[in-house]
Amino acid sequence: MKFIYNIFIRFLISAMKIGAIFNYKLKKGLAGRRQSCEIVKSKFSPDDQVIWMHAASLGEYEQGLPVLEKLKAKFPNHKILITFFSPSGYDNVIKKKTIADAICFLPFDTEVWVREFTSNFKTDIFFTVKYEYWYHLLNDLKSQGTKIFVVSALFYETQIFFKAYGKWFVNELKKEIDWFFHQTKHSTALAKEIGLVKSSTAGDTRFDRVKQLRTADNFVKYIEEFKQNKYTLIFGSSWESEERLAEIIAIKNKEVKLIIAPHDLKRVERLRNIFPNAILYSELENAGVFPDSNSQILIIDCIGLLSKIYSYGNVAIVGGGFHSKGLHNILEAATFGIPVFFGNHYTKNPEADELIARNGGKSFEDEFFAAAYLAGFVRDDGATKKMGRNALEFIDSQPNASDVVVNQILKMHQG
C-alpha cells in the first residue's frame, strides 16, 4: 500500500504540472512549493522549537487559528509555522498580520521533499485541521518525536478510512496521531469504530474564532453611506446560483440594498454585466469619497472584507450550497445575529443542520425557491430580528472548543 500511495503522489504531482499549463492557481501552487524549503531555511534554525499548523485552505486556517494563538501564549519562545495546500488559503493569509514566523505551501508528500523541509527546524507540536493527512509527513514527524494532533476532525462514512483499501492508512494514523479532537460526537464514534480510539469530542473551534470577530474592528469605509439605513442583504462568497438570486431580489425588491462579495474575483466581470449600474468597492477606494448615488448594488471586488461586512447586514446569503462545490462559512455571518440562507448541499457542514434546527437559518433546494421566500421575508422586520436572535444564541451556546483542545495538548506535551 505504501508503494501504491507513492504512485498516487507522483500522479498528483504530474497532474498538477499539466493542469498548471491551463490553471493559474495550480501554477501558483507549484511555484510556491518550490520556494517552501528556502522560506523555512531563512526563518528558522535547526535548533528552533516550532509549533506547526497545517491547513488545507482558508476555512481550515480560520478553524485552527484559535488553537494556534493559545498555544503560542503557552509557548512564547516557540516559533510558529503555518502551511497551506491551497493557493487561495495562502493568498488570503500571507497578506494579513499573523503570529506566524513563516507561512508557505506544504511540500508534496514524498520522502525526499518532506525530509528536506522538516530538517530545517525541530517540530515540537504539529496539528492539522479537519481532514488532511499526508503519510510521509506524519511518519517523518513521528520519527522526530513530535506530538501530532488533529483539530476539529470530521469523519464521515464515505471517507477512504471506511473502505477496505483504507485500512492501511488507518493503521498508520493509529501509530502517528497522538489525539483526534472531533467536531461532533458522530465523528468521534466513527473514528472509534475503526480503531482510532485516541479520540474525543471537543467541538468546532470555528465557533471560538467567529466569537472573536464581534470584538474586532469591523468598520469598513463607505458601507454606511451605501446602505443609507435601508434593509441590506449580504451575498457572501457567491457563485452563479447566488448571483441569480441577487438578480431576482434586485428586481422584485427595489427598496432593499445588496452587497455582493463573489467567491472568486474573476466573477466580478460577470457581475458587472448583470448589474451595470452597480458600484465597485475599488472605485470607491480610488475616488476616496462616496458618490452622490442611490445605487442598489455594491460589488466587493477585493478580498479580506467579507467577515467585517456581515456586521452591516440584515440577512446573509452564503454561497456554495446550491452545487457540489460545498457551502462556505455560515458562522461568520451568524455570529453577528443575522439570519443566514443557503443551498441544501452541505453534507460536510453539520453546523448548517443545527442552525436550521435553531431557526437561525434556512436552506433551499434552488435559488428560485429562495427568491420566492426572501421576497416576503425582507418585508417582515419582526421575522428578521427573531431569526437573527436565534442565530446569535446558536453561536453563543457553543463550548469554547479551543480551550478543551489546548488543555489536552498541554497535558500530553508535559506527559
Side-chain angles (χ1 to χ4, degrees), residues 127-328:
F127 67 94
T128 185
V129 183
K130 203 168 182 178
Y131 39 51
E132 187 153 313
Y133 312 98
W134 298 100
Y135 166 72
H136 290 298
L137 174 63
L138 297 176
N139 192 261
D140 183 87
L141 291 175
K142 181 54 66 176
S143 71
Q144 297 178 27
T146 302
K147 290 291 185 183
I148 301 175
F149 304 94
V150 182
V151 171
S152 287
L154 189 61
F155 278 44
Y156 49 94
E157 289 85 347
T158 57
Q159 283 173 310
I160 187 176
F161 311 128
F162 303 96
K163 312 291 184 182
Y165 52 83
K167 291 182 180 179
W168 169 78
F169 208 84
V170 170
N171 290 331
E172 294 302 319
L173 293 180
K174 287 179 186 178
K175 294 185 289 185
E176 292 156 359
I177 305 296
D178 289 281
W179 204 262
F180 290 86
F181 298 98
H182 292 267
Q183 292 186 42
T184 66
K185 292 180 180 179
H186 179 66
S187 179
T188 305
L190 287 175
K192 290 184 176 181
E193 279 181 16
I194 55 175
L196 299 175
V197 295
K198 292 182 288 186
S199 294
S200 60
T201 306
D204 189 343
T205 53
R206 281 182 300 172
F207 287 100
D208 300 11
R209 177 62 177 156
V210 298
K211 288 174 187 176
Q212 293 173 348
L213 294 178
R214 298 180 204 155
T215 57
D217 178 9
N218 290 305
F219 174 74
V220 181
K221 289 189 296 184
Y222 314 117
I223 302 298
E224 287 289 0
E225 293 93 328
F226 168 76
K227 280 188 60 175
Q228 299 177 350
N229 293 318
K230 291 185 177 180
Y231 196 105
T232 302
L233 284 74
I234 313 296
F235 288 78
S237 301
S238 67
W239 291 78
E240 186 173 351
S241 294
E242 291 80 25
E243 291 156 12
R244 275 198 296 266
L245 172 57
E247 188 176 8
I248 298 169
I249 292 295
I251 294 170
K252 289 187 174 183
N253 298 79
K254 294 188 181 297
E255 72 278 11
V256 303
K257 295 278 188 170
L258 282 69
I259 300 177
I260 306 174
H263 166 70
D264 191 327
L265 294 185
K266 292 179 181 178
R267 304 193 65 80
V268 170
E269 192 59 38
R270 180 181 182 278
L271 285 168
R272 288 300 300 270
N273 292 332
I274 299 172
F275 307 109
N277 296 321
I279 300 173
L280 289 183
Y281 191 80
S282 62
E283 293 174 344
L284 300 178
E285 288 278 71
N286 292 334
V289 294
F290 193 86
D292 183 14
S293 169
N294 290 316
S295 178
Q296 186 184 14
I297 297 165
L298 174 63
I299 299 170
I300 307 299
D301 57 338
C302 55
I303 60 175
L305 295 181
L306 180 57
S307 63
K308 295 175 181 288
I309 288 174
Y310 280 133
S311 69
Y312 290 88
N314 297 95
V315 170
I317 295 92
V318 177
F322 288 116
H323 52 59
S324 60
K325 292 293 184 180
L327 181 63
H328 294 287

Side-chain angles (χ1 to χ4, degrees), residues 17-90:
K17 286 180 177 178
I18 295 170
I21 299 172
F22 311 99
N23 186 290
Y24 173 73
K25 284 188 176 181
L26 290 177
K27 183 178 181 179
K28 189 165 187 176
L30 285 173
R33 282 174 173 81
R34 295 189 188 103
Q35 300 168 3
S36 293
C37 283
E38 294 304 317
I39 290 172
V40 292
K41 282 179 183 178
S42 68
K43 299 293 185 180
F44 302 135
S45 76
D47 294 325
D48 281 335
Q49 293 283 339
V50 170
I51 298 172
W52 176 359
M53 178 178 83
H54 175 64
S57 192
L58 181 62
E60 288 77 18
Y61 165 81
E62 296 286 355
Q63 209 161 10
L65 189 58
V67 172
L68 188 65
E69 290 174 337
K70 288 177 180 177
L71 285 174
K72 177 61 177 178
K74 297 293 183 181
F75 298 96
N77 295 322
H78 280 49
K79 290 191 173 180
I80 301 296
L81 170 64
I82 299 173
T83 56
F84 289 96
F85 187 84
S86 162
S88 59
Y90 174 85

Side-chain angles (χ1 to χ4, degrees), residues 83-102:
T83 56
F84 289 96
F85 187 84
S86 162
S88 59
Y90 174 85
D91 287 346
N92 274 275
V93 176
I94 197 66
K95 298 173 184 176
K96 299 178 179 179
K97 183 179 179 181
T98 72
I99 62 172
D101 296 282

